[in-house]
Coordinates of all heavy atoms in Angstrom, one line a residue:
D25 N 98.2 117.8 78.0 CA 98.3 117.5 79.4 C 97.0 116.9 80.0 O 96.9 116.6 81.1 CB 98.6 118.8 80.2 CG 97.5 119.9 80.0 OD1 96.7 119.8 79.1 OD2 97.6 120.9 80.8
E26 N 96.0 116.6 79.1 CA 94.8 115.9 79.5 C 95.1 114.5 79.9 O 96.0 113.8 79.2 CB 93.7 115.9 78.5 CG 93.0 117.2 78.4 CD 91.8 117.2 77.5 OE1 91.1 116.1 77.5 OE2 91.6 118.1 76.7
P27 N 94.4 113.8 80.8 CA 94.7 112.4 81.1 C 94.3 111.5 80.0 O 93.4 111.8 79.2 CB 93.8 112.2 82.4 CG 92.9 113.3 82.5 CD 93.4 114.4 81.7
K28 N 95.0 110.4 79.9 CA 94.7 109.4 78.9 C 93.5 108.7 79.2 O 93.0 108.7 80.4 CB 95.9 108.4 78.8 CG 97.2 109.0 78.2 CD 98.2 107.9 78.2 CE 99.6 108.5 77.8 NZ 100.6 107.5 77.8
A29 N 92.9 108.0 78.3 CA 91.7 107.2 78.5 C 92.0 106.1 79.5 O 93.0 105.6 79.6 CB 91.2 106.7 77.2
V30 N 91.0 105.9 80.4 CA 91.1 104.8 81.4 C 90.2 103.7 80.9 O 89.1 103.8 80.5 CB 90.6 105.3 82.7 CG1 90.5 104.2 83.7 CG2 91.4 106.5 83.2
A31 N 90.8 102.5 80.9 CA 90.1 101.3 80.5 C 90.5 100.1 81.4 O 91.5 100.2 82.2 CB 90.5 100.9 79.0
M32 N 89.8 99.1 81.3 CA 90.1 97.8 82.1 C 89.8 96.6 81.3 O 88.9 96.7 80.4 CB 89.3 97.8 83.4 CG 87.9 97.6 83.3 SD 87.1 97.6 84.9 CE 85.5 96.8 84.5
A33 N 90.5 95.5 81.6 CA 90.2 94.3 80.8 C 90.1 93.2 81.8 O 90.8 93.1 82.8 CB 91.4 94.0 79.9
E34 N 89.2 92.3 81.6 CA 89.0 91.1 82.4 C 90.0 90.0 81.9 O 90.1 89.8 80.7 CB 87.6 90.5 82.3 CG 86.6 91.4 83.0 CD 85.2 90.9 82.8 OE1 84.9 90.1 81.9 OE2 84.3 91.3 83.7
V35 N 90.8 89.5 82.8 CA 91.8 88.5 82.4 C 91.8 87.3 83.4 O 91.4 87.5 84.5 CB 93.2 89.1 82.3 CG1 93.3 90.1 81.2 CG2 93.6 89.7 83.6
K36 N 92.3 86.2 82.9 CA 92.7 85.1 83.8 C 94.2 85.2 84.1 O 94.9 86.0 83.5 CB 92.3 83.8 83.1 CG 90.8 83.6 82.9 CD 90.3 82.5 83.8 CE 88.8 82.3 83.5 NZ 88.3 81.2 84.2
F37 N 94.7 84.3 84.9 CA 96.1 84.4 85.3 C 97.0 84.5 84.2 O 98.0 85.3 84.1 CB 96.4 83.3 86.3 CG 97.9 83.2 86.5 CD1 98.5 84.1 87.4 CD2 98.7 82.3 85.8 CE1 99.9 84.1 87.6 CE2 100.1 82.3 86.0 CZ 100.7 83.2 86.9
D38 N 96.9 83.5 83.2 CA 97.9 83.4 82.1 C 98.0 84.7 81.3 O 99.1 85.1 81.0 CB 97.5 82.3 81.2 CG 97.7 80.9 81.9 OD1 98.5 80.8 82.8 OD2 97.1 79.9 81.4
A39 N 96.9 85.4 81.1 CA 96.9 86.7 80.4 C 97.6 87.8 81.2 O 98.4 88.6 80.7 CB 95.5 87.1 79.9
L40 N 97.3 87.8 82.5 CA 97.9 88.8 83.4 C 99.5 88.5 83.4 O 100.2 89.5 83.3 CB 97.4 88.7 84.8 CG 98.0 89.6 85.9 CD1 97.8 91.0 85.5 CD2 97.4 89.3 87.2
D41 N 99.8 87.3 83.6 CA 101.3 86.9 83.6 C 102.0 87.4 82.3 O 103.0 88.0 82.4 CB 101.4 85.4 83.8 CG 102.8 85.0 84.0 OD1 103.6 85.7 84.6 OD2 103.2 83.9 83.4
K42 N 101.3 87.1 81.2 CA 101.9 87.6 79.9 C 102.0 89.1 79.8 O 103.0 89.6 79.4 CB 101.1 87.0 78.8 CG 101.7 87.4 77.4 CD 100.8 86.8 76.3 CE 101.4 87.0 74.9 NZ 102.2 88.2 74.6
A43 N 101.0 89.8 80.3 CA 101.0 91.3 80.3 C 102.2 91.8 81.1 O 102.9 92.8 80.6 CB 99.7 91.8 80.8
I44 N 102.5 91.2 82.2 CA 103.7 91.6 83.0 C 105.0 91.2 82.3 O 105.9 92.0 82.2 CB 103.6 91.0 84.4 CG1 102.3 91.3 85.1 CG2 104.8 91.4 85.2 CD1 102.0 92.8 85.3
A45 N 105.1 90.0 81.8 CA 106.3 89.5 81.1 C 106.6 90.3 79.9 O 107.8 90.4 79.5 CB 106.1 88.0 80.8
D46 N 105.6 90.8 79.2 CA 105.8 91.6 78.0 C 106.4 93.0 78.2 O 106.8 93.6 77.2 CB 104.4 91.8 77.2 CG 104.0 90.5 76.5 OD1 104.8 89.5 76.4 OD2 102.8 90.5 76.1
Q47 N 106.6 93.4 79.4 CA 107.1 94.7 79.7 C 108.7 94.6 79.7 O 109.3 94.9 80.7 CB 106.6 95.2 81.0 CG 105.1 95.4 81.1 CD 104.6 96.3 80.0 OE1 105.2 97.4 79.7 NE2 103.4 96.0 79.4
K48 N 109.2 94.2 78.6 CA 110.7 94.0 78.5 C 111.4 95.3 78.9 O 111.1 96.4 78.4 CB 111.0 93.6 77.1 CG 110.3 92.4 76.6 CD 110.9 91.1 77.1 CE 110.3 89.9 76.4 NZ 109.7 89.0 77.2

Side-chain angles (χ1 to χ4, degrees):
D25 61 347
E26 279 187 43
K28 294 180 185 176
V30 174
M32 67 180 199
E34 293 179 335
V35 295
K36 295 250 181 172
F37 170 79
D38 290 337
L40 176 62
D41 184 40
K42 182 178 182 333
I44 303 301
D46 284 350
Q47 300 302 320
K48 305 281 190 237

